[in-house]
Amino acid sequence: MFNRNRCLRRVAAIASMSSLVTGCGILSSDPSDEEKPIVVGTTSAPSTLDPAASWDGSWELFRNVYQTLLSYPNGATAPEPDAASECAFTDSTNQVYRCELREGLTFSDGDPLDARAVKHSIDRIRKINVNGGPAGLLGSLDRVQAPSGREVVFHLNKPDATFPFVLATPAMSIVDPDTYPADSLREEGGVVGSGPYTLRSYEDGEQAELVGNDRYKGFAERRNKAVTIRYFKDSAAMVKALRDDRIQVTYRGLAADDIITLQGRASKEEDLQLVEGTGTEISYLVFNPEDPWAGRRAVRQAVAQVIDRAAIAHTIYQDTVDPLYSMVPKGLTGHTTGFFDDYGDPSVPKARAILTEAGITEPVPLTFWYTTDRYGSETAAEFKELKRQLEASGLFTVTLKSRPWKTYVTGYQKGEYPVFGRGWSPDFPDAENFIAPFVGDQNALGTPYPAPEITGDLLPRSRREGDRANVVKEFEEAQQILVDDARLLPLWQGKQYVAASEDISGAERALDPSTIMMMWQLYRKTSW
């Protein structure tokens, strides 16, 4: 039975993504409230405003100000048309993919968005070819054609059933050929897109002001007039801003302490809600094969044998994350527990035996790098715990170093770090996206990882199959290769938490399958 009083109580509400009740109306006495921007806080600031340069959290902004041919309407787990009116493979081998654009599309400045603009946007990604950038997503693309004003045809060099998922990533955002050069990144800043919002102003590392784009034509139904995104250095400052009503929503970067508090243990009288859902974000270590120590497989395997993931999840993250034993997270077809199956529980004697067999008898010196402002406030504590565990074994001496995200990215792309931490939120919800981006001569890490059996056999085989339930064997084999090499070491899998003021609705529907927030879903509850 519907209980109106319960809906109006000042409580901390905890709900799943799929089941949060949003029908409770909170009285809004000021009609101007609907005109005010909803202010959203995050610790994930963009590294760039140009889609050709980004294979990272900049996508959070891109999804809202640019448009892609395909995207994810609310509740969808497979891509559906957005700038396109229809898309499909036109052959039986998954090598020719055709899209027809919606009629009358324009960019926010009024320039036409046609097939030429789509071709320009995709071609420039590959021509500019930023190291660690999104060109790595287009490995199966041979060429793009624009036979007419509304028709775009993608010719692939090999079968690839996942290509529609690639086109739905914000990396494939459509840009205006008149303002985005074909062979270089846009330098003057700003955004000219065709998404649900336009970027009215942007202060690097501080905030982005979005206002509704009246020229937008796509599936998104904007439920607010404007959104301001504010970028924070840490969770504590962000949550304080939420409690002070300087922001109304947080969507990435909540620290474990703050999550526990928001779950109601210390704030039962606050007008806040916490939306909790299953996440596929992962955290992992990358070992540089060019480093004299990290490049040795025995060293990497010994590290894998010592690290206690469960202790990290419990002690540092207070069980707001789960230990992860494969690069493919739980919940996706093909997930395994390869690192646990091969290494079992943490064991110093086993790690010592691995090193001794390789002729290593002295403590191994390693330098671990992490970013100070990207993956949440616990990152520094997590790396201190990694150092403690490894040094307690007597087998390693660990030096910790860190940088802010923007300079951190440059460092790992140049191969400066022996071992470094990364996080990953999926480009699309498929096991492929937790393997393919990290292997090959060009990948999202900027660290070449040839893995010829994966890139030359297993991934091509999996891409011939449109039914992803039929490719479990290929993904299991690929994960075992990653376990054997131990160049990528998974640590934990996150859950999704969105905290919001109680008068905000839509948070439970705002995250797409890649856990990117669709700002247009947020709105203020209205009066009865």
Side-chain angles (χ1 to χ4, degrees):
M1 181 176 177
F2 185 76
N3 186 330
R4 181 175 182 270
N5 290 331
R6 180 182 302 163
C7 293
L8 293 176
R9 281 202 335 239
R10 297 165 60 87
V11 298
I14 305 172
S16 71
M17 289 289 186
S18 59
S19 64
L20 181 70
V21 177
T22 59
C24 304
I26 300 299
L27 297 178
S28 177
S29 59
D30 184 356
S32 66
D33 280 353
E34 295 184 9
E35 304 295 325
K36 294 178 182 177
I38 293 176
V39 185
V40 181
T42 177
T43 61
S44 181
S47 61
T48 176
L49 297 181
D50 191 327
S54 171
W55 198 349
D56 62 21
S58 304
W59 290 9
E60 304 274 14
L61 180 60
F62 294 174
R63 176 62 81 204
N64 293 278
V65 296
Y66 292 107
Q67 199 172 12
T68 46
L69 289 170
L70 302 163
S71 191
Y72 298 94
N74 182 39
T77 56
E80 297 182 18
D82 187 11
S85 59
E86 59 180 1
C87 291
F89 282 106
T90 61
D91 66 331
S92 60
T93 61
N94 293 337
Q95 287 187 258
V96 180
Y97 195 73
R98 178 187 176 276
C99 290
E100 184 170 328
L101 296 175
R102 295 177 187 263
E103 291 187 26
L105 291 174
T106 65
F107 291 101
S108 56
D109 62 359
D111 286 351
L113 192 166
D114 53 16
R116 179 182 74 93
V118 176
K119 174 176 167 57
H120 170 85
S121 301
I122 305 299
D123 284 345
R124 72 188 292 266
I125 292 172
R126 299 201 296 173
K127 189 167 187 177
I128 298 171
N129 196 22
V130 171
N131 184 30
L137 286 165
L138 295 171
S140 64
L141 179 62
D142 180 41
R143 68 188 189 280
V144 187
Q145 290 182 313
S148 66
R150 292 176 53 205
E151 184 182 12
V152 186
V153 181
F154 301 90
H155 296 271
L156 308 185
N157 52 37
K158 51 196 170 189
D160 187 358
T162 69
F163 190 70
F165 290 92
V166 172
L167 290 180
T169 67
M172 305 300 135
S173 295
I174 305 167
V175 298
D176 189 342
D178 291 343
T179 54
Y180 289 77
D183 55 1
S184 63
L185 299 176
R186 179 182 167 112
E187 295 182 355
E188 65 270 29
V191 165
V192 179
S194 60
Y197 298 93
T198 60
L199 183 63
R200 181 166 64 184
S201 69
Y202 179 74
E203 298 174 57
D204 188 22
E206 298 295 330
Q207 71 175 27
E209 291 187 332
L210 313 184
V211 295
N213 177 15
D214 294 335
R215 298 180 184 272
Y216 169 73
K217 292 184 178 181
F219 71 80
E221 296 182 8
R222 201 173 59 251
R223 308 191 73 178
N224 58 66
K225 294 183 180 297
V227 171
T228 297
I229 305 173
R230 290 190 179 159
Y231 302 112
F232 292 85
K233 300 299 183 185
D234 57 55
S235 175
M238 183 167 65
V239 171
K240 185 177 188 306
L242 179 68
R243 288 189 169 124
D244 293 344
D245 200 33
R246 288 181 285 119
I247 64 175
Q248 287 78 56
V249 183
T250 72
Y251 77 98
R252 196 174 294 280
L254 284 174
D257 285 342
D258 292 318
I259 291 169
I260 298 301
T261 300
L262 289 167
Q263 283 175 334
R265 297 181 184 179
S267 61
K268 291 185 180 297
E269 296 305 316
E270 291 188 280
D271 286 337
L272 299 176
Q273 55 180 311
L274 186 69
V275 181
E276 176 184 345
T278 302
T280 50
E281 175 188 6
I282 69 170
S283 176
Y284 58 100
L285 296 176
V286 183
F287 292 83
N288 187 343
E290 300 301 318
D291 181 77
W293 287 109
R296 301 184 65 173
R297 186 165 70 166
V299 170
R300 302 193 298 266
Q301 291 177 331
V303 171
Q305 185 65 73
V306 169
I307 286 178
D308 188 340
R309 297 168 176 82
I312 292 171
H314 180 69
T315 304
I316 305 301
Y317 290 94
Q318 301 181 62
D319 300 316
T320 59
V321 304
D322 294 320
L324 183 64
Y325 298 94
S326 167
M327 289 298 289
V328 177
K330 293 179 294 184
L332 294 183
T333 300
H335 164 73
T336 70
T337 54
F339 275 94
F340 185 82
D341 298 339
D342 281 22
Y343 294 93
D345 292 326
S347 170
V348 173
K350 288 181 180 179
R352 181 178 291 109
I354 293 171
L355 293 173
T356 301
E357 186 176 350
I360 302 171
T361 57
E362 298 295 323
V364 176
L366 291 172
T367 300
F368 279 42
W369 281 83
Y370 64 92
T371 179
T372 57
D373 58 355
R374 188 65 172 184
Y375 301 124
S377 305
E378 294 92 355
T379 303
E382 176 183 0
F383 273 76
K384 288 177 182 177
E385 173 63 12
L386 288 169
K387 172 183 169 72
R388 187 199 66 77
Q389 291 180 7
L390 291 170
E391 292 190 339
S393 73
L395 304 176
F396 303 92
T397 58
V398 178
T399 301
L400 297 182
K401 294 187 177 182
S402 62
R403 286 177 178 170
W405 176 250
K406 281 202 168 184
T407 53
Y408 185 74
V409 171
T410 302
Y412 72 66
Q413 288 177 345
K414 290 181 177 180
E416 294 178 0
Y417 308 151
V419 186
F420 60 97
R422 279 294 309 268
W424 185 256
S425 295
D427 305 325
F428 50 86
D430 190 278
E432 149 130 355
N433 196 237
F434 289 88
I435 297 173
F438 311 127
V439 295
D441 291 331
Q442 183 178 37
N443 59 51
L445 303 172
T447 303
Y449 185 0
E453 188 176 350
I454 297 177
T455 59
D457 179 27
L458 296 173
L459 288 177
R461 266 199 277 149
S462 74
R463 289 166 179 163
R464 296 188 188 102
E465 181 56 65
D467 185 347
R468 308 308 284 164
N470 294 333
V471 294
V472 171
K473 180 176 180 293
E474 286 79 3
F475 288 136
E476 287 177 345
E477 291 181 19
Q479 287 170 87
Q480 187 58 50
I481 292 171
L482 298 181
V483 171
D484 293 341
D485 290 345
R487 283 183 49 173
L488 305 171
L489 188 62
L491 297 174
W492 52 259
Q493 174 177 349
K495 303 171 186 178
Q496 278 301 318
Y497 297 94
V498 176
S501 302
E502 201 176 22
D503 65 343
I504 296 293
S505 276
E508 75 287 354
R509 296 186 300 274
L511 297 181
D512 75 5
S514 300
T515 67
I516 293 174
M517 182 167 278
M518 303 175 289
M519 300 293 177
W520 59 85
Q521 293 283 4
L522 302 173
Y523 64 97
R524 287 186 170 86
K525 297 175 184 177
T526 55
S527 59
W528 294 94

